[in-house]
Structures are given as C-alpha cells and as structure tokens.
Amino acid sequence: MNSFSWWRRGDLDGFFGLFVDNLIQLILITVLCTQLLGFPPELLFGKILPGVAISLLIGNLYYAWQAKQLSLATGQPATALPYGVNTVSLFAYVLFVMLPVVKSTGDPELAWQMGLAACLGSGLIELAGAWIGARVKKVTPRAALLATLAGIAITFISMDFAFRIFADPLIGFAPLALIFMQYIGRLPLPRGIPAGLAAMIVGTLLAWSLGRMDGAALSGAFSISLHLPTPQLLELFSAFTSPELIGFIAVILPMGLFNLIGSLQNLESAEAAGDCYAVKPSLAANGIGTIVAACFGSCFPTTIYIGHPAWKDMGAGAGYSIANGVVITLLCTLGLVGFVSALIPIEAGAAILLWIGIIIAAQAFKDTPSHHAPAVVVGLIPAIAAWGLLMLESGLRAAGTSIGGVGIETLAMQFPIAGMIALERGFIFTSMLLAAMTVALLDGRYKIAANWAFAAALLSSTGIIHGYEVGQFAILNSYGPANSWPFVIGYLMVGTLFWLLSGNREKD
C-alpha cells in the first residue's frame, strides 16, 4: 500500500516561494486598482480581493488533491502544480479593459464590471480548451513547449529579481547565498533549517536593521477587517448586457488563448520533471478557478504557474499548495495584504524566485534531446524581445513620454524597433511556432516544418501574433490582416520553400 503525507520537509520552502510570488500579484492588484483605476477601498478590499482569495483557495486545494492522487497511483512523491493570479492578464485587463472605461466614463463600478466579464470570458476559453489541450500537447515538440517558459523565466522572472538583488546587495546577497548553498550546492543549512525560510528571515532582518523599511507604514497598515467572498452575479450580468463589452472581445479572446497555452506548457514542464498530470482535468480546474474568480468579484484570471521543476527540486509535495491557498485567503479576507507587504521586503524573497527562474530555464535544455538545443534558443528570442520592449516602454514612461510620443521612425534610426514590437505581440505563440519549426528541421521532417510555417501564417492573419498599432501612449493590438499581412506572406513563402525543397528527403 502506497503511503502519502500531506506535509513534507520541502513544503515549507515551497510555500515561501509560492507565497512571495502570489504576494507580489496582490500588491500589484492593490496598487493598480487604487492608484491607476481609482477604485474605492470598499470595492478593492470588500469585493475584488475576497474574489481573488476564493479562486486561489479552490485551485490550490484541487491541485494539492491532484498531487495526492498521482502520488498514490505511482507510489512516488508528487509535487502539486503551482497556481496563482496570471500576471500577464492582470496588466492586460487593467490597461486595455478597465482603464479605457475609467477614462471614457469616469465610472469605476462600470470598469470593474467590464473586468469581471473579461475574467469570465478568459475562464470559459480556458475551460473549453481543456478538451483540445491534450491533442495540442501531443503534436507539439517538448522543446517548443519548454522554450517559451525558459524565455519567460530568464527575462520576466530571473532578470527582474536579479536586478532587485544587485540594486541592494547588503540585503539581497545573504539570502541569495543561502538559497544557492542549499539548492545548487546541495549543502544543507545548520540544524536542517529550510533555505527559503532562512532567506526570508535574514533578508527581512537586514532590511529592518539597515533602515530600508518604514515602521510608520507598518503600524498604519495593521488593521483587521473581515471581508468574506460574496457572489457578484448581478454585476457580472450587468456587464454582459452592456454594449461596451463588444469592444473588448479583441482583448479577451487572445488573452484566454494565451492563458490556455501557458498552462499547457506548464503541464509539459511538470511532466518533464517527473509528474505526469492528466491534461483535461488540470486545464479544466484552471478554467473553473478563473470563472469562480469572476463570479465572486475578481477581475483577474488564475493560471498554473511556471516553476513546477523548482518546487519539485525543493522537495515540496501537496502541503505547500494548501498552505499558500489558506494564507493568501486569510490575507485577502482580513485586509492584511498591505501589512505583510510593509513587513517583508520583496528582496527577502527575490533569491527564491531568481532560483526558480534559473531552474525553469535549465530544464528546457536538460529535458529535451540535446540536438534540439538550437530550437530552444530560437524559442527564447520572442520572450527576450517582449522583455526588451517592456524595459524600453518603462524607461520612456519614466521620462514622461512613450514610443508613440518619441515616434517609431525616430527610434528606428537607432535599432529595428518594429521587429522588436512584432516579436513581442503574441510572443508565447511565436516562440512555440518558431521552436517547433526548428525542431522539425533538426529532425529532417521538412514538410512538418512547412506545416508549422503555415500555422504561423494563419495566426498572423488574425493578428494574434505580430499584429500591432502604435498609439500615442501604448502599443495596441491590431487584429485581422490589415497590419500583419507581410508576416502572412512571409510565413507562406517559408512554408512553400520548405515543402518544395524537401523533395523526397522527408524522414519518417
């Protein structure tokens, strides 16, 4: 009879890693909703954050139960899929759904309702995609699925937290040394203290002792007020009867697909690390979590996080997922998000997240055939372009301008900005397509490579990849072939050349 334990030694470290990641999302939600969207506190703390809480609790509990079932079935320890708020959707729905409503109507309540509808739409797409996800996973090479995750891990995770560490080495270096010592050097800490716990404690103590933290902000943030999740179905129905919703379909549809593909790639990553979860129920649970979020007041879709191999390497099982869901729920329902963010500096957990990014990127090379390494590198390029564009846009905003304000023609005199933007639009799809095409070429399956090129032409024709317009304040998505037709023709030419030049040299 197989044994199973709800709590393993590595669950404590796993909890701190996932908790810090989720805490960052909660801080982003709080800042963006109050400072950018102007949502009143009673809306944020009374409806949105409790909605976030119940969606995360349900998802974390399900994936913990799923890990138990897999462990009992295989007789081997299984690590629960990490789960939380989708960062990309968070920014997309704030900037391209709710903010335009606030600017055009000045009505935060209507903006929130549009956000609920967008969240529900994403959840329905994710849920429907559960029935085709297994087929997509079967026909897509592992290198193509893992390359995108590696690109995101290197750029949006590792680089950001590496910058935080090196921006303040007096706080960041000691936690980094503890994490690297145990998880890379395989040298246990004295008395078996988990490195994640030690890093959080040491980083927090250093930050407070060096005067980096604000005691007044901490005392002012401590205020307990109970806000239980309540259904917001009437508001959700009102959003679906609003004519303004039609204008946001162009944002909701690609973001739903983006979330679906990202979750599918994370399932492949978990399988490569040794935990083979069934595709349909895993994706369906993710979609249901997002639907629950919308029905209980959250505008922000949930997702299966990248990083499963790192949590598995920590020795985490199912307990870390349950602990994360419970603690996040308590913070959101008791109004303590601000207090915890004022108590624990991000730098204290930055080393854990940097290490997670490193492990994910390494997996793309380690768990794919060695001769597919060029395909992994090709798959990194769109993510690097997306990160580079984000850095450029952030720098220009800090200077009080934007890409539209400077002018794309002016920027093009310094470097090919148009190519960077084109690669950034729908980069998760572009990365997968280019890497899959490269795998087929490396394996001598030239007509398969042609088919991937034709698939890229099809997606280009919709504008899901490469389609964009330069607005005055931001880069905007452009759907349909109007602005992406050169890519349609280009991919058709690539596919045709692959097909014609392959002749009879196609390998079985």
Side-chain angles (χ1 to χ4, degrees), residues 430 433 453-468 478-492:
T430 305
L433 290 165
F454 294 144
L458 179 62
L459 278 183
S460 296
S461 70
T462 67
I464 289 178
I465 62 173
H466 307 319
Y468 71 91
S478 175
Y479 298 104
N483 293 315
S484 57
W485 64 266
F487 295 98
V488 178
I489 296 174
Y491 283 124
L492 289 175

Side-chain angles (χ1 to χ4, degrees), residues 26-196:
L26 295 179
I27 294 171
L28 284 173
I29 290 171
T30 301
V31 171
L32 292 174
C33 285
T34 55
Q35 298 183 13
L36 184 63
L37 300 177
F39 284 1
E42 57 270 19
L43 176 58
L44 173 64
F45 295 104
K47 297 180 179 179
I48 295 176
L49 289 181
V52 172
I54 192 169
S55 64
L56 294 190
L57 181 62
I58 288 174
N60 276 285
L61 290 178
Y62 172 79
Y63 290 121
W65 173 84
Q66 187 186 46
K68 174 188 175 182
Q69 298 303 112
L70 181 62
S71 179
L72 293 176
T74 61
Q76 299 295 323
T79 299
L81 293 167
Y83 176 78
V85 173
N86 188 305
T87 310
V88 178
S89 293
L90 192 163
F91 281 105
Y93 289 167
V94 167
L95 297 177
F96 302 122
V97 174
M98 290 184 279
L99 184 59
V101 176
V102 169
K103 286 185 174 181
S104 62
T105 68
D107 186 351
E109 187 80 12
L110 179 60
W112 169 59
Q113 291 173 357
M114 290 298 107
L116 294 181
C119 184
L120 179 63
S122 179
L124 292 173
I125 293 170
E126 294 168 29
L127 181 59
W131 274 260
I132 63 169
R135 177 61 180 168
V136 174
K137 183 173 177 289
K138 183 178 180 180
V139 301
T140 307
R142 173 167 287 182
L145 291 170
L146 297 186
T148 306
L149 299 183
I152 295 171
I154 291 172
T155 54
F156 294 95
I157 298 179
S158 294
M159 294 301 287
D160 180 70
F161 290 105
F163 293 164
R164 290 177 182 272
I165 291 168
F166 280 82
D168 198 341
L170 294 179
I171 296 176
F173 274 19
L176 181 65
L178 294 171
I179 293 296
F180 275 31
M181 182 184 299
Q182 181 162 325
Y183 295 128
I184 294 181
R186 302 295 178 183
L187 181 64
L189 301 182
R191 298 185 180 275
I193 299 174

Side-chain angles (χ1 to χ4, degrees), residues 339-351:
F339 173 75
V340 174
S341 64
L343 173 65
I344 303 174
I346 295 299
E347 290 75 13

Side-chain angles (χ1 to χ4, degrees), residues 268-335:
E268 181 70 23
S269 176
E271 183 176 332
D275 290 337
C276 185
Y277 290 109
V279 173
K280 185 184 293 185
S282 299
L283 294 181
N286 185 34
I288 290 170
T290 297
I291 291 171
V292 169
C295 291
F296 280 83
S298 171
C299 313
F300 307 108
T302 56
T303 191
I304 300 171
Y305 273 174
I306 66 176
H308 176 277
W311 274 285
K312 190 169 185 66
D313 204 40
M314 288 178 181
Y320 89 102
S321 184
I322 296 174
N324 177 75
V326 171
V327 172
I328 291 296
T329 297
L330 290 175
L331 293 183
C332 290
T333 56
L334 296 178

Side-chain angles (χ1 to χ4, degrees), residues 290-462:
T290 297
I291 291 171
V292 169
C295 291
F296 280 83
S298 171
C299 313
F300 307 108
T302 56
T303 191
I304 300 171
Y305 273 174
I306 66 176
H308 176 277
W311 274 285
K312 190 169 185 66
D313 204 40
M314 288 178 181
Y320 89 102
S321 184
I322 296 174
N324 177 75
V326 171
V327 172
I328 291 296
T329 297
L330 290 175
L331 293 183
C332 290
T333 56
L334 296 178
L336 292 175
V337 173
F339 173 75
V340 174
S341 64
L343 173 65
I344 303 174
I346 295 299
E347 290 75 13
I352 303 175
L353 298 172
L354 171 61
W355 178 76
I356 289 171
I358 292 170
I359 292 299
I360 298 165
Q363 184 197 41
F365 293 94
K366 181 172 69 71
D367 292 331
T368 56
S370 59
H371 72 284
H372 287 172
V376 175
V377 176
V378 169
L380 299 178
I381 295 172
I384 294 172
W387 178 77
L389 183 64
L390 176 64
M391 294 298 100
L392 175 62
E393 289 181 304
S394 299
L396 290 174
R397 287 196 191 100
T401 185
S402 64
I403 290 176
V406 174
I408 195 167
E409 295 82 6
T410 301
L411 291 170
M413 296 173 63
Q414 304 299 321
F415 68 102
I417 178 67
M420 175 183 280
I421 299 173
L423 276 171
E424 183 270 345
R425 295 289 100 171
F427 74 90
I428 191 171
F429 298 104
T430 305
S431 176
M432 188 170 70
L433 290 165
L434 294 180
M437 194 186 310
T438 307
V439 165
L441 292 174
L442 290 167
D443 290 344
R445 305 178 71 185
Y446 309 114
K447 291 180 180 177
I448 297 296
N451 291 338
W452 282 110
F454 294 144
L458 179 62
L459 278 183
S460 296
S461 70
T462 67

